[in-house]
Amino acid sequence: EAAVNGDADQVRQLLRDGADVEGATKRGTTAMTMAAERGHVDVIFALFEGGGNVNAHTHHGHVSALMGAAQSGYADVVEALIELGAPVNFANKNNATALFHAAGTGQNACVRALIKAGAAVNWQDVSGASPLMAAVAGGHVSAAEMLLTEGGAEVDLTGKGHRMTALRYAVERGQAAAVRALLKAGASPNRVSAAAPFASSFASRRRWCTVRL
């Protein structure tokens, strides 16, 4: 409860009194993961001082403290965890990293922090999606542009298996602003998708995507 409430002093006292810093729920949630997803950076340092694992993650899904902070938008916690040794490219059961969590929820400050820390921008999860695809699928144009301009993401990267591009993701979901950003970055509207027609011909049949390809 002290970790959840952000009370770093109480956390330190509990640890001095013998509390198990790695005590976990049935799901594998620890004080470290709870503090991270709530943005309590002081608690993160207190737990680390007490021997807490900065790469703590749930049993089901392997969602790490870094992923929780990234998805919740706490860039200071992201930076602190990485500073303390959390692996930036640790992947969950779907092979998605913290960068997917940040990009897919439009947490721009966290996207930038992860890129600066060396996160793999062209990493692909089990479905073949990349952080860029996650960003455009959710309509998070600023995050997508950051991945392209600051991270050097490959604009026409195709997914393993389905071989879809980020542009295809954007067109299919009617994300016109994302389509414009991708085209500006050099995305090919005629890149073949093994699981679907060309992005340009697909878009022509979608009234809600009005970007001229």
Side-chain angles (χ1 to χ4, degrees), residues 32-190:
M32 186 72 76
T33 57
M34 289 187 286
E37 67 184 18
R38 288 167 176 78
H40 300 316
V41 67
D42 291 340
V43 173
I44 296 295
F45 282 107
L47 292 167
F48 179 76
E49 292 163 8
N53 178 14
V54 292
N55 195 38
H57 53 78
T58 62
H59 299 320
H60 178 71
H62 291 177
V63 178
S64 69
L66 185 61
M67 293 172 189
Q71 184 166 319
S72 299
Y74 297 115
D76 57 339
V77 176
V78 166
E79 291 168 348
L81 288 167
I82 293 171
E83 177 188 334
L84 296 174
V88 70
N89 289 318
F90 176 80
N92 63 20
K93 70 172 185 177
N94 293 320
N95 204 40
T97 64
L99 188 56
F100 281 80
H101 290 258
T105 52
Q107 304 295 353
N108 295 343
C110 293
V111 170
R112 176 169 283 125
L114 289 163
I115 289 173
K116 286 183 177 179
V121 295
N122 292 320
W123 187 286
Q124 292 177 289
D125 67 11
V126 293
S127 74
S130 68
L132 178 61
M133 295 174 193
V136 301
H140 304 301
V141 179
S142 294
E145 290 175 334
M146 196 175 294
L147 289 164
L148 290 163
T149 59
E150 298 181 25
E154 185 179 338
V155 70
D156 280 329
L157 181 72
T158 55
K160 301 170 185 176
H162 58 64
R163 297 192 62 77
M164 287 172 62
T165 64
L167 182 60
R168 167 72 192 201
Y169 270 85
V171 169
E172 191 169 273
R173 289 161 177 77
Q175 301 291 358
V179 170
R180 293 189 188 94
L182 291 166
L183 291 173
K184 183 178 179 180
S188 171
N190 294 314

